[in-house]
Amino acid sequence: MNYIIYDLEFNQKYLDSTEVQSSNSLNLPFEIIQIGALKLNENFETVSKFNALIKPTVYPSIHPYVESLTKINNDKVSSCKSFVPVYEDFLKFIDKDETILCVWGTGDIKELLRNINFYNLSTSSIPKLCIDIQKYASKYLNTPNKSRVGLKTAVELLNIQDNAEFHDAFNDAYYTAEVFKHIYDDAIKPSIYESNFHKRVTQPKEKIDTAALINQFEKMYNREMSEEEKSIIKLAYIMGKTRQFVK
């Protein structure tokens, strides 16, 4: 029995970019640009590691907010492999042993499957059993009102040494593994991830009135939004429309 603890970083459409969004890209709001993972055996010993940056092809330019958050820029990914060969490498890393996927929130499973399906690749080698470590960590730390604890907060509360930057897929996978080791008990059981993923039916493209959106925020806060705040608001609006965070 192995545990594959993995994390992803994404790129997405930049509203102020001159890039033309194709109809196909409507099915991929978040394009994976990094996969980081550790393989643990049943004794929670690390037996293998995986870390790969991915050259984006749907959204070739890294979104400025993504760059500021992850430190991944266009230069870093320009000479990297695209998603398909990296996915093939990731499957080799997973191997054919009995495996449980472990993630910090099921969003990374959903988006991995979405990226796989976007390229019409097989998901048959992706383990069906998974553990949402964020859910169990939130229970362990007794977060109020059934809220979900953030990874950095969990690391701090559990006194886990944090020498590496967060928002790096490999580092976050490492921290997720450390949290898993700290909180593990027999009550933690894997479950089958039920993906209701289907290719999106093409709908007439909606145009977002971003000026009105920003104007509404400026009215609410009675001040002008900075350029960074405007970018965050636009990105948050796009992320909300994907419904990946709906409980």
Side-chain angles (χ1 to χ4, degrees):
M1 169 67 70
N2 289 324
Y3 299 95
I4 298 292
I5 295 146
Y6 80 92
D7 191 83
L8 307 173
E9 297 298 339
F10 309 100
N11 192 32
Q12 58 268 316
K13 174 69 176 177
Y14 182 34
L15 290 178
D16 291 339
S17 171
T18 57
E19 294 171 10
V20 177
Q21 184 173 2
S22 69
S23 58
N24 283 337
S25 67
L26 295 174
N27 294 319
L28 194 70
F30 299 106
E31 182 177 15
I32 297 172
I33 55 174
Q34 186 186 15
I35 302 176
L38 292 89
K39 180 186 291 185
L40 308 185
N41 62 21
E42 57 188 11
N43 297 317
F44 302 108
E45 298 167 328
T46 300
V47 295
S48 188
K49 300 176 182 179
F50 185 90
N51 188 13
L53 289 173
I54 298 170
K55 181 178 181 178
T57 56
V58 179
Y59 308 117
S61 297
I62 300 296
H63 191 291
Y65 180 70
V66 172
E67 180 177 343
S68 67
L69 188 68
T70 67
K71 307 301 185 291
I72 298 173
N73 56 36
N74 294 318
D75 289 340
K76 285 185 177 181
V77 296
S78 62
S79 59
C80 293
K81 296 178 181 178
S82 59
F83 178 78
V84 174
V86 172
Y87 176 59
E88 292 171 351
D89 292 341
F90 188 51
L91 290 181
K92 293 176 184 176
F93 166 77
I94 292 175
D95 208 352
K96 296 181 179 179
D97 295 332
E98 186 178 358
T99 301
I100 297 173
L101 289 182
C102 300
V103 289
W104 191 262
T106 57
D108 276 2
I109 298 179
K110 179 179 180 179
E111 296 307 327
L112 176 62
L113 294 176
R114 193 199 300 271
N115 276 253
I116 295 169
N117 278 275
F118 180 82
Y119 290 101
N120 296 313
L121 303 172
S122 173
T123 61
S124 61
S125 296
I126 297 295
K128 302 300 185 289
L129 291 176
C130 72
I131 296 175
D132 180 356
I133 297 174
Q134 185 186 34
K135 180 180 74 172
Y136 286 104
S138 299
K139 290 181 179 179
Y140 182 91
L141 295 168
N142 196 26
T143 55
N145 301 320
K146 297 182 179 180
S147 60
R148 292 294 188 101
V149 66
L151 180 57
K152 185 175 183 179
T153 300
V155 167
E156 292 172 350
L157 291 175
L158 294 170
N159 296 314
I160 296 169
Q161 196 169 20
D162 57 347
N163 294 326
E165 293 289 333
F166 288 86
H167 301 297
D168 171 276
F170 181 78
N171 293 345
D172 287 355
Y174 167 78
Y175 288 131
T176 300
E178 291 302 301
V179 172
F180 187 40
K181 295 175 188 177
H182 274 72
I183 69 171
Y184 182 81
D185 61 31
D186 292 339
I188 296 180
K189 302 292 185 183
S191 59
I192 296 176
Y193 178 74
E194 296 290 347
S195 172
N196 57 358
F197 179 86
H198 297 287
K199 287 198 171 181
R200 185 179 301 174
V201 177
T202 302
Q203 299 290 343
K205 185 176 179 181
E206 297 177 342
K207 184 176 180 180
I208 302 170
D209 189 345
T210 55
L213 177 65
I214 299 301
N215 185 53
Q216 181 62 31
F217 272 85
E218 291 180 336
K219 285 182 179 179
M220 291 166 59
Y221 288 93
N222 194 29
R223 66 176 178 83
E224 184 177 349
M225 297 288 108
S226 68
E227 291 304 314
E228 181 179 10
E229 288 171 328
K230 290 177 182 179
S231 179
I232 293 172
I233 290 168
K234 293 172 185 177
L235 177 57
Y237 182 82
I238 294 173
M239 294 175 72
K241 289 192 69 177
T242 69
R243 298 181 62 80
Q244 73 160 321
F245 302 107
V246 174
K247 292 184 179 179

